Amino acid sequence: MAEAGRAGGSPATARHPLPPRPPAGRGRAVQVSVIVPVHNSECWLDECLKSVWKQDFKETMELSVFNDASKDCSAEIIEKWKIKLEDAGVPVIIGSNGSSQPRGVGFAKNQAVIQSSGTYLCFLDSVFTSHGPTVIMPTWFCSREWFFHVGKFDEGGKGVPEDLLFFYKHIQKGGEVFRVNHCLLLYRYHPQAATHSVLEGTIWNHRVRFLEDRVLSSWTSFTIWNAGKQGKKLYRSLSPANRKKVTAFCDVDEKKITKGFYTYEESEERPKPKIPIRHFRDATPPFIICVKLDLTGGAFETNLNTLNLKEGIDYYHFN
């Protein structure tokens, strides 16, 4: 990933650069455009572009870089790698924001896409937070046709999780995800990452609104699986109409179950809402599950499997 401050990914690489590829053009369409937004990236840019140079992809690809008002040596590094990459048969398209102020990641990525020509788009950047998207940005790519069908990235600038919002629009328009069970990238995470400008609360609120729109809008009632911190946080984050649909919390913690209910103290209603807390075997689906996977030695997964429920109908994960 080349954008300063954002977590850096490097696509799957071969051990050594391969011989030059047959050049694109001359009737040969570009299959893959590698999309790289750049802003003050001199610390990571060499490693990022080297990863493109080392690709073992044997068909036609190009690099599309958009330099978003960098004030460091990023432009010089890009020009240096343009020569090396084009010698290796990888065309390089360079765009830039000539103003003194950066327009943001969404804008830079959109511009890099617009100036590129590949049938498929591979994004060499990412956002990651503790409550971030299930499928983080550098692990997926899509067709150019689908990208413009979804409608490009949000250009709101700093603090906007443009990749998460794009992914939600992708799902809303009927898009799917196909998993590749191989490790295909190296992921860089560092303290200066611009991903830190995206507040945890911003991510959380977007996720809750998406849940309400996509799932809860068609449910008349449901149970929140987790009577602890995360389950209660979800309950408090719901709209008033969706809070009224919560018939119970469920858990395996005997202390919580023995307590019997959760009182929503922040409510202005009188009397304050009291939501029952039940053992998961006594709870009624559908469930919104707020328990993280792979953290209980398989105990949660075993409990869920005993109920013989169908994901996407009887429960959804929100974890």
Side-chain angles (χ1 to χ4, degrees):
M1 160 59 193
E3 191 207 347
R6 291 173 72 87
S10 300
T13 60
R15 188 176 298 275
H16 301 290
L18 296 174
R21 297 168 182 78
R26 301 176 189 172
R28 299 189 80 234
V30 175
Q31 287 186 298
V32 176
S33 295
V34 180
I35 305 300
V36 182
V38 174
H39 175 67
N40 291 342
S41 309
E42 62 183 10
C43 292
W44 308 283
L45 197 48
D46 271 315
E47 186 180 0
C48 171
L49 299 183
K50 184 178 181 180
S51 75
V52 178
W53 185 56
K54 284 188 170 184
Q55 284 305 299
D56 57 9
F57 180 62
K58 296 180 176 60
E59 301 302 325
T60 55
M61 73 174 184
E62 66 181 8
L63 175 69
S64 180
V65 182
F66 190 84
N67 188 356
D68 188 20
S70 294
K71 295 180 174 63
D72 62 1
C73 296
S74 292
E76 290 84 350
I77 296 171
I78 293 168
E79 290 295 337
K80 176 188 72 174
W81 277 101
K82 175 180 171 68
I83 296 171
K84 297 181 81 168
L85 285 161
E86 292 192 338
D87 283 347
V90 180
V92 178
I93 305 97
I94 303 171
S96 63
N97 171 12
S99 72
S100 60
Q101 295 297 321
R103 294 281 301 274
V105 186
F107 173 80
K109 284 195 285 196
N110 287 337
Q111 293 303 307
V113 171
I114 290 168
Q115 70 188 19
S116 70
S117 62
T119 303
Y120 294 95
L121 307 172
C122 176
F123 297 96
L124 189 49
D125 80 297
S126 65
V127 170
F128 180 78
T129 69
S130 62
H131 292 297
T134 301
V135 185
I136 60 175
M137 183 75 192
T139 65
W140 56 269
F141 70 96
C142 65
S143 71
R144 173 178 303 277
E145 180 182 14
W146 185 256
F147 176 83
F148 285 105
H149 175 71
V150 172
K152 302 193 295 184
F153 291 103
D154 188 295
E155 297 186 358
K158 186 176 181 179
V160 174
E162 80 293 328
D163 54 348
L164 176 62
L165 297 179
F166 182 92
F167 194 76
Y168 282 168
K169 287 196 294 180
H170 159 75
I171 297 298
Q172 288 167 338
K173 288 179 177 287
E176 297 180 334
V177 178
F178 295 90
R179 176 171 174 158
V180 177
N181 290 315
H182 302 285
C183 181
L184 297 176
L185 71 114
L186 301 174
Y187 180 84
R188 180 188 294 113
Y189 187 77
H190 54 88
Q192 292 78 37
T195 187
H196 296 303
S197 71
V198 182
L199 300 178
E200 185 176 288
T202 299
I203 296 287
W204 176 271
N205 289 336
H206 280 302
R207 292 179 63 226
V208 171
R209 300 290 85 81
F210 184 78
L211 174 71
E212 292 187 312
D213 178 63
R214 293 286 294 178
V215 179
L216 304 186
S217 61
S218 63
W219 286 1
T220 58
S221 63
F222 63 97
T223 298
I224 296 178
W225 191 318
N226 186 342
K229 181 179 178 181
Q230 290 298 303
K232 293 174 182 176
K233 179 180 179 180
L234 173 60
Y235 174 84
R236 293 192 299 268
S237 302
L238 297 173
S239 68
N242 282 315
R243 280 199 297 267
K244 291 183 181 299
K245 296 179 182 180
V246 179
T247 57
F249 291 90
C250 72
D251 212 292
V252 294
D253 188 325
E254 290 298 335
K255 290 183 179 179
K256 294 184 178 73
I257 296 168
T258 300
K259 185 177 179 181
F261 57 85
Y262 163 67
T263 302
Y264 180 35
E265 296 290 353
E266 295 89 343
S267 176
E268 296 181 357
E269 293 183 42
R270 294 296 183 273
K272 295 181 184 295
K274 290 187 176 183
I275 313 302
I277 301 175
R278 299 174 178 144
H279 192 279
F280 76 90
R281 292 193 187 90
D282 301 321
T284 303
F287 298 100
I288 295 298
I289 296 175
C290 294
V291 181
K292 291 185 178 180
L293 301 176
D294 302 320
L295 289 181
T296 60
F300 163 71
E301 289 83 354
T302 298
N303 290 338
L304 179 60
N305 288 337
T306 63
L307 299 181
N308 296 314
L309 303 176
K310 185 174 178 60
E311 185 174 3
I313 296 177
D314 301 309
Y315 69 91
Y316 282 87
H317 287 283
F318 187 84
N319 48 22

